[in-house]
Every structure is written in C-alpha cells, then in structure tokens.
DNA sequence: TATGACTGTCGAACCGGTTCGAAACGTGTC
DNA sequence: GACACGTTTCGAACCGGTTCGACAGTCATA
C-alpha cells in the first residue's frame, strides 16, 4: 500500500511538501502540485486513517448508539439510524455503530479510545445512564430524545406534548367525545421513556379542558400480545369513537384487529397514530398520523454535532434543546363519529 | 488524556515495559505488572485506537455495507444488520456502517484508508459492482447473498432453491393444485437480485414435476402499489387455492388485502411466506413461512470473517460458499383446499 | 548593493502506540 | 573467578501521517 513517502519520492519532493500539496495549507508551486497529484493517481494513494487520526486527533467518524431493547419496536429505530447515517455521509463523516444493549460500555470504548469525533445517542431515556459518561467525554454529543437534564449536549426531539394535544383537538373538532389512547408498553415508561408520558399527559389535559373522555392505556410491543391488548381496550370502551395510537407495534397490528372485529376506519372508528410517513408506507398503514420525523431529527442532530466538532459553534456557544412541531398527515382515517 | 507514557512514568518503568505488562507478550515480574495495572486504573488509561492501528495495522473494526435501495424493503435489512453487529461485538469488533446507495465509494474509502480489518456485504447482487473492489482489497470479505462469482470471498445465503421447492411441496401435499407466487419487484431482479429467480425457478420446476399450476408474478415493494398487485393477482386467478410470498412488503400488506376481500387463511386461501420469525412478530403476520434466518446468516458471515482476519484460517484455506437450509415455520395458515 | 518581504521547499519533531535487540542482573556450574 | 544462562527491563526504531521553524531563492525597494 502506498504511503505519502512513496508519493513524495515519485514526485521528487519531500514528505512535508507532498502533504502540503495535498492539503493546500501552504502555498505550493503549480508544477510541484501537479507532480504530486500525478503521483497520487499513479500509486492509488489514500491516506492511512489511523495515522491521520493520530496526527490530527480527528477521525471523521461519528459514533451512533442505538439500543435495541426488549419491548421496543426495532423498525422504528431504523429510520432514525438512516437519518443519522445519511446526513453524516453527506458531511463527510462515517458511522461507527453500536447496537449493544449496554450502551455505557460502547460509549466508553468509543470515546476513551478516540475512535470518534462525536456521539449521537438515540432513544434517550429521562435519566439515561449513558449521559454522565457522555458529559465527561471530550467529544461533543447530540441526542435524539429529551432527558431530564440537558446540560452539555444538544437535544432534539418531537414536541410530544403538542402531538398529544393535536391528536385530541383534531378528533374533538370532528365531534368525538370519547377516545382511547394506546401508549407504549409500561415497561418502556419504567425504563424512562418520558416521551410516552409527555404525549399522554398533554392528551389527558386537552381532553379534560374540552370536557371529553379519554381512556389511556399501555399496549405491548409485539404480537400476539398487542393484538389482544387492542381487542381488550375496544371491548372495554364500546362507546369510544376515536383511537389514538402512540405505539408502533399497535399501529402495525391494527389492520388485523379491525378486520377481526369487522370494523373500518373511519366509518366505525376514527384513528390517529404517531409515526413517520415512511413507516406508514412500509407497514401499509392507512391511518392519519402525527409525523414523527425521524429522518429530520437525525439530520438535525448530526448537523449540529458536526458544527461543534468542526468548531464552527463557538466554544462557549450554549447547547440547543430543539423540538420539532408535530404535523398531522391526513390519510383519511378520521371523520365525524356515527350518530347512533 | 493519559497515554502509555503517563502510565509508564507513574509506574516507574519504561514505555515498552508498560506495553509488555499490558499485552503479556513478554514475561514481566509480578511486582511491575501490578504497578502498571494500578497506574492504568489511577489514570483511567485507554489505548488510543488510531495509534494502535498505526502500530499493529489492526483496527478491530469491521465494515458493514448495507444499501437501502428504492424498491427494497428496509426493515428486512435491519435484521441482517443486527445479526452482524451483535456477533461482531461478541467477538470484540466494532462496526463501521455504510448505508450509502453507492456502495463502491464506501467500500473503497474503508479499505484503502485501512479503517477496517474486514468487510461484510449485505444484499449481494448476482453481478455486484462492489465485488471487484472487494477482491482487490487487502482485507478479507464475507457476503450475505450469492453472486455469480464467489472467488476470493466467503459466501453465506439461504438455499432459495430448496425454499421454492419446499413451499410448493408443502401445499401440493395438502392437496392444492393451483398456486400463485408473488416475488420481489421486477426492478430488484433487474438489479441482479438473483435469489428471486432461484426461488421462483425452483418453485416452477417443482410445480411442473408434480403436474400442478403455478402462476408467478412480481409485486411492488410499497403500499399502495403492492396491495393493488395482490388484488389483481387474486382476481386473475380465482381458482388458485394457495399463495406463496417471496416479498416482505406483500406479506406485510396481505392482512389488509385479505380483509378487503373478506377472505381468511387458511379457510379460504393457504398462505406460505419467506421471512424471519422476528419479522413475523414485528409485522403481526399470522402466516406460515420459510425462515430466512437473517441473524444466523449475519452471525456465520462475521464468524468466518473474523477467523480469516485473525489468521486462524490458513492463508490458502479455500473460501466457503455455505447455504442455510430453509425451515418451514408452521403458523397454521395452510390447510387442505376447500372442496368446492 | 544591502535590506526586507515573500514564495516555495525541506528537515525534524511529534502524535501514541508496538516490537526488536541488547543490556543488566542474579544464579548455578566447572 | 570466569563463564554460560535465564529473567526482566530498557532504549530505539518504526508505523504514516501533519506541522513548525528554518532556509534558499526571487523580487522590489531604499
């Protein structure tokens, strides 16, 4: 494999000159620059990443921590990963991926050994145990998900409170007076998935303010449990005319459940979910939904992270906490309730 | 950040001694070893990955190339990725992930700059344009998916021919005489997704050998197109009693389609798919299926790759081409056809 | 014709590890 | 007491880049 020494020899210059010719950090005569570039082509030279990282303390790699936990719906996570990965590449960075359940280990390994210039954390819990480690690390970090304490990191998340309100308002406006909300499994909440509460509390509050009934419940993350949960909920609240879904597995299971009950949306039941458009297409979901914008969130996180890595953000520039406003995508699954 | 020089100073030894004490590659007195280990703990020392890579020419990183192409079903790919990632971690390797559509670029970048010790290629096409690059690279490569030319790499794939035969045999044995097979989009085939043909040809041949009818067709990769495709197929072949599905999007869309047609499996139609058990759970699919074993294939690929990286495979040990035998998971969606 | 400024190039040092050869030391043998 | 030997440690070189300071050459200016 060719080194910069080989390039220099072929071009008839010193190693430092070759380096400067390639980086452009000092003025080099056009003649020499041309000879160096020819040598690079001739030898097929590519700089050794390890050596460059050692010399510059920059790797041009971003660490991506995605935990695939029990009771979590894997395909939803994929969309965030792709948003992060694709944006990173556009900005000239590669992705070091960890799917370890124990994210602390992975985080320490990546940061301590200087394998990465920065870190993106997905699926952040309210008291995420990876955060103290990330704050102590020399690399900057960006989160997708809102923790209790945002100091020292940039934070991006959907505005789940607004999402909860929007769902309720939308159905209230159509005339619905009794709703059911299916959230993520209780387990996810216990693990600190605060976004579940944020949406739910706002929905409950919005319903109370409008004097309508909202039954909130958890749903499992897999079949067949989540199907049973949905049946049980619909059995328990036969007068409910609207269904809110903040649970990807439940959304994916709903077509079959409605089929079994011989119900259609919106004729028999109005349905609003919270998932991305890409998710809806993939899972063949015909229900209107609050766009969860995983690609956009991933993109924002990486953009800001790279700004910090490259020092375009001032060293004392305060960290961001930014919420994406929910947008309701109408797929025609809501209507006025049947007047019976 | 502490370096091995700091460790050596605190322990009162030379850098080389500290290095040997940690690697164990030369005998070191227990006293010195203890002092070095204490210093490591005291300083929180972790070796710098770039420096180590430069010195040893080993990165302990595996490159993972996953292309998310148009007309491909993303969640199916995720399972292969997780199989690879988790196995790599178990063996002490990290994953450098590329999701670029142009895999050649990513591959060249990773291999030329020595960022990785080895490469895993997912979703390999018959004449995959990444293969020539991989063969020229100094790092070993493992594929999931069968190309026309397997020289120089280890190859792992499901036995799609056996899968096609098994599906047909299973329904023939139950008494079905007219079947429909829905394959991946034609576009996937044109791009070189030979596994589609392998399954389809074997199915056609198996049907011919048994004197039964098989209508083979392509299906789209997304809603609502794939739903339309399924409807059209069932309309076109009203006497078919069995449905074979080699298309994840079609499988995911089938519950809704059957609902719309007021059909149930297996009462009105026997259904056999080709997807993993994890996929079935995630997508709430109640149909029997040929297990596509993505985790197992990913695991096998990484295992063999690491064996080569670490030189446990002899330098001239021939490369593997290994097929996983299909296993039919019975979820009760097949039965004898209705005798009407 | 010396002076200073500017351009283009080079040599050496450095980043933080690993590894080879040799040195220092204690031990046992003749 | 000279010698060989095994154990433990050290110094130096090396991996392949980047970067700083110095220096030679050119040109305009005083």
């Amino acid at each position: 494999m060719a080194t910069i020494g080989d390039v220099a020899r072929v071009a008839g210059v010193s190693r430092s000159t070759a380096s400067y010719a390639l980086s452009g950090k000092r003025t080099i005569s056009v003649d020499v620059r041309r000879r160096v570039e020819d040598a690079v082509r001739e030898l097929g030279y590519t700089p050794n990443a390890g050596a460059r990282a050692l010399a510059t303390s920059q790797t041009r790699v971003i660490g991506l921590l995605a935990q695939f936990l029990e009771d979590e719906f894997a395909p939803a996570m994929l969309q965030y990963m792709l948003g992060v990965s694709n944006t990173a590449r556009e900005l000239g960075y590669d992705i070091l991926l960890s799917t370890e359940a124990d994210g602390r280990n992975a985080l320490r390994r990546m940061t301590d050994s200087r394998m990465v210039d920065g870190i993106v954390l997905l699926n952040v819990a309210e008291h995420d145990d990876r955060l103290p480690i990330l704050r102590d690390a020399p690399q900057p970090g960006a989160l997708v998900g809102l923790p209790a304490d945002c100091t020292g990191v940039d934070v991006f998340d959907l505005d789940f409170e607004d999402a909860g309100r929007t769902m309720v308002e939308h159905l209230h406006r159509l005339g619905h007076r009794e709703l059911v909300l299916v959230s993520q499994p209780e387990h996810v909440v216990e693990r600190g998935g605060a976004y579940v509460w944020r949406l739910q509390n706002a929905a409950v509050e919005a319903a109370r303010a409008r004097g309508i009934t909202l039954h909130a419940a958890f749903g499992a993350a897999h079949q067949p449990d989540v199907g049973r949960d949905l049946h049980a909920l619909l059995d328990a609240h036969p007068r409910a005319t609207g269904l809110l879904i903040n649970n990807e597995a439940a959304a994916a299971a709903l077509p079959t459940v409605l089929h079994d009950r011989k119900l259609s949306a919106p004729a028999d039941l109005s349905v609003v979910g919270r998932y991305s458009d890409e998710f809806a297409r993939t899972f063949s979901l015909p229900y209107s939904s609050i766009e969860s914008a995983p690609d956009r969130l991933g993109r924002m996180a990486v953009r800001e992270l790279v700004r910090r890595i490259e020092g375009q953000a001032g060293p004392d520039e305060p960290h961001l906490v930014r919420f994406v406003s929910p947008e309701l995508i109408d797929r025609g699954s809501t209507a006025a309730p049947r007047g019976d």
Side-chain angles (χ1 to χ4, degrees), chain A residues 13-28:
Chain A
V13 298
S14 72
R15 292 203 304 151
S16 55
T17 301
S19 176
Y20 283 123
L22 293 174
S23 71
K25 292 193 180 169
R26 283 199 182 171
T27 51
I28 293 285

Side-chain angles (χ1 to χ4, degrees), chain A residues 145-293:
Chain A
L146 176 69
D149 178 2
C150 293
T151 56
V153 291
D154 292 304
V155 176
F156 302 88
D157 204 0
L158 183 69
D159 189 334
F160 280 93
E161 271 126 21
D162 197 345
R165 272 192 303 272
T166 302
M167 291 167 123
V168 170
E169 271 168 23
H170 179 74
L171 290 185
H172 173 257
R173 206 174 303 126
L174 288 168
H176 295 263
R177 295 299 175 258
E178 184 170 348
L179 310 176
V180 174
L181 165 63
V182 184
S183 295
Q184 303 281 15
E186 191 159 15
H187 213 245
V188 171
V189 176
E190 284 164 7
R191 217 170 33 228
Y195 72 97
V196 178
W197 277 117
R198 284 193 279 143
L199 187 147
Q200 182 165 321
N201 286 351
V204 166
E205 174 57 28
R208 211 193 43 72
R210 284 164 185 74
I212 66 179
T213 308
L214 180 98
H215 309 284
F218 302 108
H222 282 290
Q223 279 287 69
D225 307 26
V226 65
R228 267 204 301 273
D229 291 344
L230 285 168
H231 277 298
L233 268 171
L234 295 175
D235 285 342
H237 308 292
R239 303 177 53 96
T241 57
L243 180 60
L244 311 182
I245 301 201
N246 183 27
N247 175 323
E248 288 93 347
L254 191 58
T256 306
V257 168
L258 294 186
H259 178 197
D260 291 348
R261 302 179 77 88
K262 307 206 190 317
L263 298 178
S264 301
D268 308 301
L269 190 69
S270 284
V271 178
V272 183
R274 194 270 314 155
Y275 46 76
S276 72
D277 188 52
E278 177 69 25
F279 189 88
R281 295 194 341 131
T282 299
F283 282 70
S284 315
L285 300 183
Y287 316 118
S288 300
S289 73
I290 299 282
E291 172 64 40
S292 57

